[in-house]
Every structure is written in structure tokens, then in C-alpha cells.
Amino acid sequence: MRSRMEFEQLVESIKNCYTLIAGGNSNPADFVGCLTCLFKGIVVAIEENIDTLKALCGEDWIVYAICELQEEYDSRGSLIVKKYMEYRKLCKLASEIDSYSKSLLSVGNVEGPDPREIELFLEEILSLTQLHEDYTEYMISKIKGLSSIDPELGARATKAFRSGSLSKVVQDITGFYVILEKFFLVENVRKAMRIDECVPDSLTTSLADDVLYFLQRSCRRAISTPCLQYLVLQLMW
């Protein structure tokens, strides 16, 4: 299957990245591209064979085929997202952010992670979660579009898409997203306060425009995400 080859290429790409980074160069592995290829490969397989399965075996067998492909997607997709979290060292980064936040209260002027790098990670995480949501919605719509399947079979298949291993990994990466997004917003506001200055012919200082700019960026990500949890947490801040 083409997606397997893409995954193996991704693993090799990660190894090469570590070598390049050690040598002072970096060429990031394309996790989003790999998950996209997996998604497209399964969609193409379904679209090319759905009519044949329906004619020869009936609609129930379309659901069985989708479930078989879902197992492949769940297995490979989980590995891709886990590899991404490992590659970006999200556990270590979350720990550094926590230590940095505590140091600000006790020490004051300390350097934390670069918000520009954090924003790159945020965009990558959103792309991965959006792909997973798009895939899930596509598959569920395919199952619901079948008119003569066993209702219990359809219900079990639909539930499997929401409770698979990849869905659980996506929940984990959601937690990292919340930590990173909060840091991005708070840290940029803090820096904006440090460089605040008067603006000629304006009733406000530069802080107002800077804070609004970063709020817009964070809210744009929250609104564009498929997960309502992101948006709710964003508004709670």
C-alpha cells in the first residue's frame, strides 16, 4: 500500500533530520504530508471499489471494507502523530514552559521558548487534527449514505471512528495545543508590554495594537480548528 511506503519514508526522513540538525542544518519531516497521503490513499481505495462491492456483495460489505481500512488508518495515523510529538519533543517543551512560567514569578527576567517556533508547532498540530477530523467525517458520511445496511453494523462502525487509537492520540496532542497556545499568547502580550510606547496622533499606546494582533492570531486558530474544546478554552483565557 502506498501509505505504508510514505510512512517508511517519513521515518527515514526523521532520521535524516536529526543528522542534519546535528550538523547545523534542518529540513523538517513532512508529517502533515504523510497523514494526507494516508487519508487520500484510503479515500481513493473506497471510491474505486465501492460500486463493485455494492453490486457483488451488498452494502454491508462496503461497511466491512471501510472498517478494515479504518484499522490501517488508525494504526498508521497513530504512529505518525506519535512520531510528530516525539520529533517536536512536545512533552519536554510543555515541561520547559511550566518551569519558565514558575521562574517568572520567583526570578523575573528569564528567557523562555521562542514564541515564533511555538506558533509553527501550533499550525502543524492544527493541520494534523483537521486532517483527522476531515477523514472521520468523510467515512461517517459514507456509512450514513448507505440505505440498506444493518443498523447495528452502521452504529458500531460509526462508533469505532470516534473511539479508535488515533482519536485518543489526537486528544493527547490537543492537550499540548492548549499549553502552547496559552504560552504563545501570554508571552507575546508580556513582550508587547515591555516595548510599549506612545503612538503619535493616537489615543492609545502601541500595546493596544500589539495585543489585538496576537489575540486575532490565536482566535483565528481556535475558530478554524475542528475541536470545539480549543475555542472554549481560548475564550476562557
Side-chain angles (χ1 to χ4, degrees), residues 126-151:
L126 286 183
S127 294
L128 291 170
T129 56
Q130 181 68 62
L131 277 169
H132 172 61
E133 186 66 18
D134 289 346
Y135 170 86
T136 301
E137 291 299 324
Y138 169 82
M139 288 300 194
I140 290 176
S141 69
K142 277 293 179 185
I143 294 172
K144 289 182 176 179
L146 301 172
S147 58
S148 59
I149 62 171
D150 179 352

Side-chain angles (χ1 to χ4, degrees), residues 124-232:
E124 290 172 345
I125 291 172
L126 286 183
S127 294
L128 291 170
T129 56
Q130 181 68 62
L131 277 169
H132 172 61
E133 186 66 18
D134 289 346
Y135 170 86
T136 301
E137 291 299 324
Y138 169 82
M139 288 300 194
I140 290 176
S141 69
K142 277 293 179 185
I143 294 172
K144 289 182 176 179
L146 301 172
S147 58
S148 59
I149 62 171
D150 179 352
E152 290 187 5
L153 174 62
R156 288 199 306 271
T158 299
K159 183 179 179 181
F161 282 94
R162 296 295 186 188
S163 59
S165 59
L166 181 53
S167 292
K168 294 174 182 177
V169 176
V170 168
Q171 289 177 5
D172 292 338
I173 206 170
T174 297
F176 287 119
Y177 170 88
V178 172
I179 293 170
L180 299 184
E181 189 68 89
K182 183 177 181 180
F183 171 80
F184 170 82
L185 187 56
V186 172
E187 182 66 7
N188 278 307
V189 169
R190 194 176 69 84
K191 290 184 176 182
M193 292 173 66
R194 285 208 310 262
I195 61 173
D196 187 27
E197 60 184 7
C198 294
V199 179
D201 302 321
S202 175
L203 298 177
T204 63
T205 63
S206 62
L207 178 63
D209 286 340
D210 290 342
V211 170
L212 181 60
Y213 171 76
F214 291 116
L215 276 171
Q216 286 176 332
R217 294 183 76 86
S218 291
C219 288
R220 177 191 58 78
R221 277 191 291 270
I223 292 170
S224 65
T225 181
C227 183
L228 182 61
Q229 180 185 357
Y230 294 165
L231 180 57
V232 172

Side-chain angles (χ1 to χ4, degrees), residues 7 12 17 25 42 52 58 71-72 102 105 109 112 114 130 157 179 192 201:
F7 178 77
E12 186 63 30
C17 283
N25 194 6
I42 291 175
T52 303
E71 290 182 9
E72 177 75 12
K102 291 176 180 177
L105 296 175
N109 189 21
D114 186 352
Q130 181 68 62
I179 293 170
D201 302 321

Side-chain angles (χ1 to χ4, degrees), residues 20-56:
L20 289 168
I21 291 169
N25 194 6
S26 176
N27 183 24
D30 188 7
F31 293 89
V32 175
C34 187
L35 191 61
T36 300
C37 182
L38 178 63
F39 180 178
K40 288 182 176 179
I42 291 175
V43 169
V44 169
I46 292 172
E47 293 296 342
E48 287 181 348
N49 295 283
I50 192 169
D51 291 336
T52 303
L53 282 170
K54 186 174 182 179
L56 297 178

